[in-house]
Every structure is written in C-alpha cells, then in structure tokens.
Amino acid sequence: MKTKFGIALLALFLAACSQVQKPVDVYMVGDSTMSNKKAEVYPETGWGQVFDQFFNEQVTVHNHAVNGRSTKSFITEGRWQVVLDSLKADDYVFIQFGHNDQKDKDSTRYTDPYGTYSQNLEKYVRESRDKAAIPILLTSIVRRKFDENGRLIDTHKEYPEAMRQVAERLDVPLIDLQRLTAGMVQEMGDEPSKEIYLWTEPTERFPAGRQDDTHLCVAGALTVAELVAVELAKFPLDLAEYIVLKE
C-alpha cells in the first residue's frame, strides 16, 4: 500500500510540475511608437513600455525599440546585433518598423517598401529563427490624420502591405496594428482620438503644449498594448498562455 501511495504522490507531483510555466523572454525591436520614454517627456509613452502589464510574472519584456529608427538604421547602428546576441531558443521577437523607413530624404533610414524594407524584415525573421527564437511582425500604428470629411488618411502607403506579404511568404505571425488602430481611431473620430495621442496642455518644458498625432500618451499606449495582447491570444503560440488581460 505504501508503495502504491508513493507512486500516486509522485504522479501528482510530476503532473503539477508539467503545468508550471517556465520563464519567457520577449524582445521588442522597433521605433518611437514602441520605445521606452524618458520621464521628462511624460506623458509620452511607447506601447512597448507598458506591454509587460499584459503578461504574468513569468514573462520578461526587453524593449530595445528606439526613437527614429528604421529597419535599416536599427541594423547599421548595431542595435539588432545586440538583440541577436541575446536571443536563445523559444524567445519571442516583436518587430515593428515602418514610420521611419518612409523618410526618403534620409539615406541612413529610408528603405523601399518592396525592396530593402522587405529584405530587412526577412533578415530579422531569418536570423531570429536561426537562434530558434520566434519572430512576430507588427505593422505600424496609424497616425491621427483626418480629411475634411472625417475620414482617416492612410499615411503609411505601401509599407504595411509589404510587411503583410513578408509575413505570408515566410509564414510569420502578423499582428496588423495598422488595420487595428485605423479601425479604432476612425471609430473614435477626430477630436476624441486626441485622447490616445500626445496632445497636452502647455507646461514649463513645453510652453506651446504638444499636438503630436504620431506618438501616444499613457492611455493610448495601454490601449495599443492591449490590442496586441488580444490579437496575440488568438495565435497557437505558447506565449498566449502567459497573457493577462485587464477586466
């Protein structure tokens, strides 16, 4: 009897151990809409800065996104290599670029959507997979720009579609933030949507206030991060099991 009881206890212990979640590392590479912000520009907040709030304590988010970077400059400045050197099997890499790849007057950042932009995205995906990490592509969040009829204007042109094609071609999970945020901002409307972007009253540091239709405030960052978490939960990825959505 003692032997059978001991075997039963061992079985229960092993079953419990199999359900314990292992620690997971999430790496984020991208631009200013995703990056961590300094205290002096508060309430400006990148959605990657608050992304960890939508996971349990087993997930560590390493936000390497930097203001003003494109797929090209993030590589040429050695920032991608830093991330790559840190990657290990089963890590996740969230990749969001596009805003600065459009800067056609800046040769250090500009990329052609179906040329170097797509090639750089493929490089991120391929090299992540070479380390047995799991890449996830994200199209850019929309800029808040309405026409005179209250319709949201698409300012990213071919870049989101180029990323969609890369995702399909390489079978990469895609979170289409461009479409998700476009639907949300259009539904909110012109004036109400200022609440999620960086529209602030005058302060000593910013005497004219800020009227920024690209970057997010705290509420906007949390909203976008939650959109990402909700979409992520739909994928058959282990990381989805670590998501904690707010009530």
Side-chain angles (χ1 to χ4, degrees), residues 132-189:
I134 302 158
I136 297 173
L137 293 173
L138 304 99
T139 54
S140 298
I141 67 170
V142 294
R143 297 183 179 95
R144 181 190 157 277
K145 186 174 183 180
F146 288 84
D147 65 18
E148 63 276 7
N149 297 312
R151 291 189 297 262
L152 192 67
I153 297 171
D154 177 13
T155 66
H156 288 106
K157 300 180 180 178
E158 295 175 298
Y159 289 87
E161 181 55 32
M163 180 180 282
R164 293 179 194 117
Q165 292 185 19
V166 170
E168 183 175 3
R169 187 161 60 247
L170 299 184
D171 193 23
V172 185
L174 172 74
I175 296 178
D176 202 338
L177 270 182
Q178 193 265 348
R179 285 178 175 162
L180 289 168
T181 54
M184 176 183 68
V185 173
Q186 180 67 70
E187 184 176 354
M188 292 178 74

Short mmCIF file of all heavy atoms in Angstrom, two decimals, residues 132-189:
data_model
loop_
_atom_site.label_atom_id
_atom_site.label_comp_id
_atom_site.label_asym_id
_atom_site.label_seq_id
_atom_site.Cartn_x
_atom_site.Cartn_y
_atom_site.Cartn_z
N ALA A 132 16.57 29.86 -33.07
CA ALA A 132 15.42 29.11 -32.57
C ALA A 132 14.46 29.98 -31.76
O ALA A 132 13.71 29.50 -30.91
CB ALA A 132 15.86 27.89 -31.74
N ALA A 133 14.51 31.30 -32.02
CA ALA A 133 13.56 32.22 -31.41
C ALA A 133 12.35 32.36 -32.35
O ALA A 133 12.37 31.91 -33.50
CB ALA A 133 14.21 33.58 -31.18
N ILE A 134 11.29 32.98 -31.85
CA ILE A 134 10.02 33.05 -32.57
C ILE A 134 9.73 34.51 -32.94
O ILE A 134 9.41 35.32 -32.06
CB ILE A 134 8.89 32.48 -31.71
CG1 ILE A 134 9.22 31.03 -31.34
CG2 ILE A 134 7.54 32.56 -32.45
CD1 ILE A 134 8.48 30.53 -30.13
N PRO A 135 9.83 34.88 -34.21
CA PRO A 135 9.56 36.26 -34.62
C PRO A 135 8.07 36.51 -34.82
O PRO A 135 7.33 35.62 -35.24
CB PRO A 135 10.32 36.38 -35.95
CG PRO A 135 10.29 34.99 -36.50
CD PRO A 135 10.32 34.05 -35.33
N ILE A 136 7.65 37.73 -34.53
CA ILE A 136 6.28 38.18 -34.77
C ILE A 136 6.37 39.56 -35.41
O ILE A 136 7.05 40.45 -34.89
CB ILE A 136 5.47 38.25 -33.46
CG1 ILE A 136 5.34 36.85 -32.85
CG2 ILE A 136 4.08 38.85 -33.71
CD1 ILE A 136 4.70 36.84 -31.48
N LEU A 137 5.72 39.74 -36.54
CA LEU A 137 5.73 41.02 -37.25
C LEU A 137 4.51 41.85 -36.87
O LEU A 137 3.42 41.32 -36.68
CB LEU A 137 5.75 40.79 -38.76
CG LEU A 137 7.02 40.15 -39.34
CD1 LEU A 137 6.82 39.83 -40.82
CD2 LEU A 137 8.22 41.07 -39.15
N LEU A 138 4.71 43.17 -36.78
CA LEU A 138 3.61 44.08 -36.46
C LEU A 138 3.68 45.29 -37.40
O LEU A 138 4.71 45.97 -37.48
CB LEU A 138 3.69 44.58 -35.01
CG LEU A 138 3.73 43.50 -33.93
CD1 LEU A 138 5.16 43.27 -33.46
CD2 LEU A 138 2.85 43.89 -32.76
N THR A 139 2.60 45.56 -38.12
CA THR A 139 2.55 46.76 -38.93
C THR A 139 2.46 47.98 -38.02
O THR A 139 2.11 47.89 -36.85
CB THR A 139 1.34 46.73 -39.89
OG1 THR A 139 0.15 46.50 -39.13
CG2 THR A 139 1.50 45.65 -40.94
N SER A 140 2.79 49.16 -38.58
CA SER A 140 2.85 50.39 -37.78
C SER A 140 1.47 50.86 -37.32
O SER A 140 0.47 50.67 -38.02
CB SER A 140 3.47 51.51 -38.62
OG SER A 140 4.78 51.19 -38.99
N ILE A 141 1.43 51.48 -36.14
CA ILE A 141 0.19 52.11 -35.71
C ILE A 141 -0.08 53.32 -36.61
O ILE A 141 0.84 53.94 -37.14
CB ILE A 141 0.23 52.54 -34.22
CG1 ILE A 141 1.24 53.68 -34.01
CG2 ILE A 141 0.55 51.37 -33.33
CD1 ILE A 141 1.17 54.31 -32.64
N VAL A 142 -1.35 53.67 -36.78
CA VAL A 142 -1.69 54.78 -37.67
C VAL A 142 -1.34 56.12 -37.05
O VAL A 142 -1.32 56.28 -35.83
CB VAL A 142 -3.19 54.79 -38.05
CG1 VAL A 142 -3.54 53.58 -38.87
CG2 VAL A 142 -4.07 54.90 -36.81
N ARG A 143 -1.08 57.07 -37.91
CA ARG A 143 -1.01 58.47 -37.49
C ARG A 143 -2.44 59.02 -37.46
O ARG A 143 -3.29 58.62 -38.26
CB ARG A 143 -0.15 59.29 -38.45
CG ARG A 143 1.31 58.84 -38.50
CD ARG A 143 2.11 59.74 -39.42
NE ARG A 143 3.51 59.34 -39.46
CZ ARG A 143 4.04 58.54 -40.39
NH1 ARG A 143 3.25 58.04 -41.34
NH2 ARG A 143 5.32 58.23 -40.38
N ARG A 144 -2.67 59.94 -36.55
CA ARG A 144 -4.00 60.54 -36.43
C ARG A 144 -4.10 61.69 -37.44
O ARG A 144 -3.70 62.81 -37.18
CB ARG A 144 -4.22 61.06 -35.01
CG ARG A 144 -5.58 61.69 -34.78
CD ARG A 144 -5.66 62.39 -33.44
NE ARG A 144 -6.72 63.39 -33.50
CZ ARG A 144 -6.57 64.61 -33.99
NH1 ARG A 144 -5.39 65.01 -34.44
NH2 ARG A 144 -7.60 65.45 -34.02
N LYS A 145 -4.61 61.36 -38.62
CA LYS A 145 -4.73 62.37 -39.68
C LYS A 145 -6.05 62.16 -40.41
O LYS A 145 -6.24 61.13 -41.08
CB LYS A 145 -3.56 62.29 -40.65
CG LYS A 145 -3.55 63.40 -41.68
CD LYS A 145 -2.30 63.36 -42.54
CE LYS A 145 -2.28 64.53 -43.53
NZ LYS A 145 -1.06 64.52 -44.38
N PHE A 146 -6.96 63.12 -40.27
CA PHE A 146 -8.28 63.03 -40.87
C PHE A 146 -8.42 64.02 -42.01
O PHE A 146 -7.82 65.11 -41.99
CB PHE A 146 -9.37 63.33 -39.83
CG PHE A 146 -9.55 62.24 -38.79
CD1 PHE A 146 -8.74 62.18 -37.67
CD2 PHE A 146 -10.54 61.27 -38.96
CE1 PHE A 146 -8.92 61.19 -36.71
CE2 PHE A 146 -10.72 60.27 -38.02
CZ PHE A 146 -9.91 60.22 -36.89
N ASP A 147 -9.23 63.67 -43.01
CA ASP A 147 -9.53 64.63 -44.07
C ASP A 147 -10.73 65.49 -43.64
O ASP A 147 -11.27 65.34 -42.54
CB ASP A 147 -9.78 63.93 -45.41
CG ASP A 147 -11.02 63.04 -45.42
OD1 ASP A 147 -11.90 63.20 -44.53
OD2 ASP A 147 -11.13 62.19 -46.32
N GLU A 148 -11.14 66.39 -44.51
CA GLU A 148 -12.20 67.34 -44.16
C GLU A 148 -13.56 66.66 -43.97
O GLU A 148 -14.49 67.25 -43.40
CB GLU A 148 -12.31 68.43 -45.23
CG GLU A 148 -12.71 67.96 -46.61
CD GLU A 148 -11.52 67.46 -47.44
OE1 GLU A 148 -10.41 67.37 -46.88
OE2 GLU A 148 -11.72 67.17 -48.63
N ASN A 149 -13.66 65.42 -44.44
CA ASN A 149 -14.91 64.67 -44.29
C ASN A 149 -14.88 63.71 -43.09
O ASN A 149 -15.78 62.89 -42.93
CB ASN A 149 -15.21 63.88 -45.57
CG ASN A 149 -15.43 64.80 -46.75
OD1 ASN A 149 -16.18 65.77 -46.67
ND2 ASN A 149 -14.76 64.51 -47.87
N GLY A 150 -13.83 63.83 -42.27
CA GLY A 150 -13.74 62.99 -41.09
C GLY A 150 -13.26 61.58 -41.35
O GLY A 150 -13.44 60.70 -40.51
N ARG A 151 -12.64 61.36 -42.50
CA ARG A 151 -12.10 60.04 -42.81
C ARG A 151 -10.61 60.01 -42.51
O ARG A 151 -9.88 60.95 -42.85
CB ARG A 151 -12.34 59.68 -44.28
CG ARG A 151 -13.80 59.44 -44.64
CD ARG A 151 -13.91 58.87 -46.05
NE ARG A 151 -13.41 59.84 -47.02
CZ ARG A 151 -14.18 60.66 -47.71
NH1 ARG A 151 -15.48 60.65 -47.52
NH2 ARG A 151 -13.65 61.50 -48.59
N LEU A 152 -10.17 58.91 -41.91
CA LEU A 152 -8.76 58.76 -41.57
C LEU A 152 -7.94 58.57 -42.84
O LEU A 152 -8.31 57.78 -43.72
CB LEU A 152 -8.57 57.56 -40.64
CG LEU A 152 -7.22 57.42 -39.96
CD1 LEU A 152 -7.00 58.56 -38.97
CD2 LEU A 152 -7.15 56.07 -39.23
N ILE A 153 -6.83 59.30 -42.94
CA ILE A 153 -5.96 59.21 -44.11
C ILE A 153 -4.85 58.20 -43.84
O ILE A 153 -4.20 58.22 -42.80
CB ILE A 153 -5.34 60.59 -44.42
CG1 ILE A 153 -6.45 61.60 -44.77
CG2 ILE A 153 -4.33 60.49 -45.55
CD1 ILE A 153 -5.95 63.02 -44.87
N ASP A 154 -4.63 57.32 -44.81
CA ASP A 154 -3.55 56.33 -44.70
C ASP A 154 -2.23 57.01 -45.04
O ASP A 154 -2.01 57.41 -46.19
CB ASP A 154 -3.82 55.17 -45.64
CG ASP A 154 -2.70 54.13 -45.64
OD1 ASP A 154 -1.85 54.18 -44.73
OD2 ASP A 154 -2.68 53.28 -46.53
N THR A 155 -1.35 57.14 -44.07
CA THR A 155 -0.06 57.80 -44.30
C THR A 155 1.09 56.82 -44.51
O THR A 155 2.20 57.24 -44.85
CB THR A 155 0.30 58.73 -43.13
OG1 THR A 155 0.53 57.94 -41.95
CG2 THR A 155 -0.81 59.73 -42.86
N HIS A 156 0.85 55.53 -44.31
CA HIS A 156 1.96 54.57 -44.41
C HIS A 156 2.08 53.91 -45.79
O HIS A 156 3.03 53.19 -46.05
CB HIS A 156 1.82 53.49 -43.33
CG HIS A 156 2.12 53.99 -41.96
ND1 HIS A 156 1.16 54.23 -41.02
CD2 HIS A 156 3.30 54.34 -41.38
CE1 HIS A 156 1.72 54.70 -39.91
NE2 HIS A 156 3.02 54.78 -40.11
N LYS A 157 1.06 54.14 -46.61
CA LYS A 157 1.10 53.72 -48.01
C LYS A 157 1.45 52.23 -48.15
O LYS A 157 0.75 51.38 -47.63
CB LYS A 157 2.03 54.63 -48.79
CG LYS A 157 1.57 56.09 -48.74
CD LYS A 157 2.47 57.02 -49.52
CE LYS A 157 1.96 58.46 -49.43
NZ LYS A 157 2.84 59.41 -50.13
N GLU A 158 2.57 51.91 -48.83
CA GLU A 158 2.83 50.52 -49.21
C GLU A 158 3.52 49.70 -48.11
O GLU A 158 3.61 48.47 -48.23
CB GLU A 158 3.69 50.49 -50.47
CG GLU A 158 3.01 51.06 -51.69
CD GLU A 158 3.94 51.12 -52.88
OE1 GLU A 158 4.96 51.84 -52.80
OE2 GLU A 158 3.68 50.44 -53.88
N TYR A 159 4.00 50.35 -47.06
CA TYR A 159 4.80 49.62 -46.07
C TYR A 159 4.01 48.53 -45.32
O TYR A 159 4.50 47.40 -45.18
CB TYR A 159 5.45 50.60 -45.09
CG TYR A 159 6.55 51.39 -45.76
CD1 TYR A 159 6.28 52.57 -46.44
CD2 TYR A 159 7.87 50.93 -45.76
CE1 TYR A 159 7.27 53.29 -47.09
CE2 TYR A 159 8.88 51.64 -46.39
CZ TYR A 159 8.58 52.82 -47.06
OH TYR A 159 9.57 53.51 -47.71
N PRO A 160 2.80 48.80 -44.83
CA PRO A 160 2.06 47.71 -44.18
C PRO A 160 1.80 46.53 -45.11
O PRO A 160 1.92 45.37 -44.70
CB PRO A 160 0.75 48.39 -43.74
CG PRO A 160 1.11 49.83 -43.60
CD PRO A 160 2.10 50.09 -44.70
N GLU A 161 1.44 46.82 -46.36
CA GLU A 161 1.18 45.73 -47.30
C GLU A 161 2.45 44.94 -47.58
O GLU A 161 2.42 43.71 -47.70
CB GLU A 161 0.61 46.27 -48.60
CG GLU A 161 0.28 45.19 -49.63
CD GLU A 161 -0.66 44.11 -49.12
OE1 GLU A 161 -1.53 44.41 -48.26
OE2 GLU A 161 -0.53 42.96 -49.58
N ALA A 162 3.58 45.62 -47.66
CA ALA A 162 4.85 44.92 -47.87
C ALA A 162 5.13 43.97 -46.71
O ALA A 162 5.57 42.82 -46.92
CB ALA A 162 5.99 45.92 -48.02
N MET A 163 4.84 44.42 -45.48
CA MET A 163 5.05 43.55 -44.32
C MET A 163 4.09 42.36 -44.34
O MET A 163 4.47 41.23 -44.01
CB MET A 163 4.91 44.32 -43.01
CG MET A 163 5.13 43.45 -41.78
SD MET A 163 4.98 44.30 -40.20
CE MET A 163 6.55 45.16 -40.10
N ARG A 164 2.85 42.61 -44.73
CA ARG A 164 1.88 41.51 -44.81
C ARG A 164 2.37 40.43 -45.77
O ARG A 164 2.23 39.23 -45.52
CB ARG A 164 0.52 42.04 -45.26
CG ARG A 164 -0.16 42.95 -44.26
CD ARG A 164 -1.50 43.47 -44.77
NE ARG A 164 -1.95 44.59 -43.92
CZ ARG A 164 -2.12 45.84 -44.34
NH1 ARG A 164 -1.91 46.15 -45.62
NH2 ARG A 164 -2.51 46.78 -43.51
N GLN A 165 2.95 40.87 -46.88
CA GLN A 165 3.44 39.91 -47.86
C GLN A 165 4.64 39.12 -47.33
O GLN A 165 4.76 37.92 -47.59
CB GLN A 165 3.78 40.63 -49.16
CG GLN A 165 2.57 41.18 -49.88
CD GLN A 165 2.89 41.80 -51.22
OE1 GLN A 165 3.95 41.54 -51.81
NE2 GLN A 165 1.98 42.63 -51.74
N VAL A 166 5.51 39.79 -46.58
CA VAL A 166 6.64 39.08 -45.96
C VAL A 166 6.12 38.04 -44.97
O VAL A 166 6.59 36.90 -44.95
CB VAL A 166 7.59 40.07 -45.25
CG1 VAL A 166 8.61 39.32 -44.40
CG2 VAL A 166 8.30 40.95 -46.27
N ALA A 167 5.14 38.43 -44.18
CA ALA A 167 4.57 37.52 -43.18
C ALA A 167 3.97 36.29 -43.86
O ALA A 167 4.16 35.15 -43.39
CB ALA A 167 3.51 38.23 -42.35
N GLU A 168 3.26 36.51 -44.95
CA GLU A 168 2.65 35.38 -45.66
C GLU A 168 3.71 34.51 -46.32
O GLU A 168 3.66 33.28 -46.24
CB GLU A 168 1.68 35.90 -46.71
CG GLU A 168 0.94 34.80 -47.45
CD GLU A 168 -0.11 35.32 -48.39
OE1 GLU A 168 -0.25 36.55 -48.53
OE2 GLU A 168 -0.81 34.47 -49.02
N ARG A 169 4.69 35.15 -46.92
CA ARG A 169 5.72 34.42 -47.64
C ARG A 169 6.56 33.55 -46.71
O ARG A 169 6.92 32.42 -47.05
CB ARG A 169 6.61 35.42 -48.38
CG ARG A 169 7.62 34.80 -49.30
CD ARG A 169 8.14 35.81 -50.32
NE ARG A 169 8.79 36.97 -49.71
CZ ARG A 169 8.31 38.21 -49.76
NH1 ARG A 169 7.15 38.46 -50.35
NH2 ARG A 169 8.97 39.22 -49.21
N LEU A 170 6.86 34.07 -45.51
CA LEU A 170 7.72 33.34 -44.58
C LEU A 170 6.94 32.64 -43.47
O LEU A 170 7.54 32.07 -42.57
CB LEU A 170 8.74 34.31 -43.96
CG LEU A 170 9.70 35.00 -44.92
CD1 LEU A 170 10.72 35.84 -44.16
CD2 LEU A 170 10.41 33.99 -45.81
N ASP A 171 5.61 32.70 -43.56
CA ASP A 171 4.75 32.06 -42.57
C ASP A 171 5.07 32.55 -41.15
O ASP A 171 5.36 31.77 -40.25
CB ASP A 171 4.88 30.54 -42.64
CG ASP A 171 3.79 29.83 -41.86
OD1 ASP A 171 2.72 30.42 -41.63
OD2 ASP A 171 4.03 28.66 -41.45
N VAL A 172 5.03 33.88 -40.99
CA VAL A 172 5.32 34.53 -39.71
C VAL A 172 4.02 35.06 -39.11
O VAL A 172 3.21 35.65 -39.83
CB VAL A 172 6.29 35.73 -39.91
CG1 VAL A 172 6.70 36.31 -38.56
CG2 VAL A 172 7.50 35.31 -40.70
N PRO A 173 3.80 34.88 -37.82
CA PRO A 173 2.63 35.51 -37.19
C PRO A 173 2.65 37.02 -37.41
O PRO A 173 3.69 37.66 -37.25
CB PRO A 173 2.80 35.17 -35.71
CG PRO A 173 3.65 33.95 -35.68
CD PRO A 173 4.58 34.09 -36.85
N LEU A 174 1.53 37.59 -37.83
CA LEU A 174 1.42 39.01 -38.10
C LEU A 174 0.31 39.61 -37.25
O LEU A 174 -0.83 39.12 -37.26
CB LEU A 174 1.11 39.27 -39.57
CG LEU A 174 0.79 40.72 -39.94
CD1 LEU A 174 2.06 41.56 -39.93
CD2 LEU A 174 0.10 40.80 -41.29
N ILE A 175 0.64 40.67 -36.52
CA ILE A 175 -0.37 41.46 -35.81
C ILE A 175 -0.50 42.75 -36.59
O ILE A 175 0.43 43.56 -36.64
CB ILE A 175 0.03 41.70 -34.35
CG1 ILE A 175 0.09 40.36 -33.60
CG2 ILE A 175 -0.96 42.66 -33.68
CD1 ILE A 175 0.52 40.46 -32.16
N ASP A 176 -1.63 42.93 -37.24
CA ASP A 176 -1.81 44.05 -38.17
C ASP A 176 -2.28 45.29 -37.42
O ASP A 176 -3.45 45.67 -37.48
CB ASP A 176 -2.80 43.65 -39.27
CG ASP A 176 -2.62 44.50 -40.52
OD1 ASP A 176 -2.07 45.61 -40.39
OD2 ASP A 176 -3.03 44.05 -41.61
N LEU A 177 -1.34 45.93 -36.73
CA LEU A 177 -1.67 47.11 -35.94
C LEU A 177 -2.16 48.26 -36.79
O LEU A 177 -2.95 49.10 -36.32
CB LEU A 177 -0.44 47.56 -35.14
CG LEU A 177 -0.28 46.94 -33.74
CD1 LEU A 177 0.95 47.53 -33.06
CD2 LEU A 177 -1.51 47.19 -32.90
N GLN A 178 -1.71 48.33 -38.03
CA GLN A 178 -2.18 49.41 -38.90
C GLN A 178 -3.70 49.31 -39.08
O GLN A 178 -4.42 50.31 -38.92
CB GLN A 178 -1.45 49.35 -40.24
CG GLN A 178 -1.63 50.60 -41.10
CD GLN A 178 -2.77 50.47 -42.10
OE1 GLN A 178 -3.30 49.39 -42.33
NE2 GLN A 178 -3.16 51.58 -42.70
N ARG A 179 -4.19 48.13 -39.37
CA ARG A 179 -5.63 47.96 -39.55
C ARG A 179 -6.38 48.07 -38.23
O ARG A 179 -7.45 48.67 -38.15
CB ARG A 179 -5.91 46.61 -40.21
CG ARG A 179 -5.57 46.60 -41.70
CD ARG A 179 -5.81 45.25 -42.33
NE ARG A 179 -5.60 45.32 -43.78
CZ ARG A 179 -5.41 44.25 -44.54
NH1 ARG A 179 -5.38 43.03 -44.02
NH2 ARG A 179 -5.24 44.40 -45.85
N LEU A 180 -5.82 47.50 -37.18
CA LEU A 180 -6.48 47.54 -35.88
C LEU A 180 -6.61 48.97 -35.36
O LEU A 180 -7.68 49.38 -34.90
CB LEU A 180 -5.71 46.68 -34.88
CG LEU A 180 -5.78 45.17 -35.08
CD1 LEU A 180 -4.74 44.47 -34.21
CD2 LEU A 180 -7.17 44.64 -34.78
N THR A 181 -5.51 49.72 -35.42
CA THR A 181 -5.57 51.10 -34.90
C THR A 181 -6.36 52.01 -35.83
O THR A 181 -7.01 52.94 -35.38
CB THR A 181 -4.15 51.66 -34.66
OG1 THR A 181 -3.37 51.55 -35.86
CG2 THR A 181 -3.46 50.91 -33.53
N ALA A 182 -6.33 51.72 -37.13
CA ALA A 182 -7.12 52.53 -38.06
C ALA A 182 -8.61 52.39 -37.74
O ALA A 182 -9.34 53.39 -37.70
CB ALA A 182 -6.85 52.11 -39.50
N GLY A 183 -9.06 51.17 -37.51
CA GLY A 183 -10.46 50.96 -37.16
C GLY A 183 -10.83 51.65 -35.87
O GLY A 183 -11.90 52.27 -35.76
N MET A 184 -9.94 51.55 -34.88
CA MET A 184 -10.21 52.15 -33.57
C MET A 184 -10.25 53.68 -33.66
O MET A 184 -11.18 54.32 -33.15
CB MET A 184 -9.13 51.73 -32.58
CG MET A 184 -9.25 52.36 -31.21
SD MET A 184 -7.88 51.87 -30.13
CE MET A 184 -6.49 52.69 -30.93
N VAL A 185 -9.26 54.28 -34.32
CA VAL A 185 -9.17 55.74 -34.40
C VAL A 185 -10.31 56.30 -35.24
O VAL A 185 -10.90 57.34 -34.91
CB VAL A 185 -7.80 56.16 -34.94
CG1 VAL A 185 -7.74 57.66 -35.20
CG2 VAL A 185 -6.70 55.77 -33.95
N GLN A 186 -10.65 55.60 -36.34
CA GLN A 186 -11.76 56.06 -37.17
C GLN A 186 -13.06 56.04 -36.38
O GLN A 186 -13.87 56.97 -36.46
CB GLN A 186 -11.89 55.18 -38.40
CG GLN A 186 -13.02 55.57 -39.34
CD GLN A 186 -12.77 56.92 -40.01
OE1 GLN A 186 -11.90 57.06 -40.85
NE2 GLN A 186 -13.56 57.93 -39.64
N GLU A 187 -13.26 55.00 -35.61
CA GLU A 187 -14.48 54.89 -34.81
C GLU A 187 -14.53 55.97 -33.73
O GLU A 187 -15.60 56.54 -33.45
CB GLU A 187 -14.58 53.51 -34.16
CG GLU A 187 -15.86 53.28 -33.39
CD GLU A 187 -15.98 51.88 -32.84
OE1 GLU A 187 -15.12 51.03 -33.15
OE2 GLU A 187 -16.95 51.62 -32.10
N MET A 188 -13.39 56.29 -33.13
CA MET A 188 -13.35 57.34 -32.12
C MET A 188 -13.67 58.70 -32.72
O MET A 188 -14.37 59.51 -32.11
CB MET A 188 -11.97 57.38 -31.45
CG MET A 188 -11.64 56.18 -30.60
SD MET A 188 -9.98 56.29 -29.89
CE MET A 188 -10.25 57.54 -28.61
N GLY A 189 -13.14 58.95 -33.91
CA GLY A 189 -13.35 60.23 -34.56
C GLY A 189 -12.22 61.22 -34.30
O GLY A 189 -11.33 60.99 -33.47
#
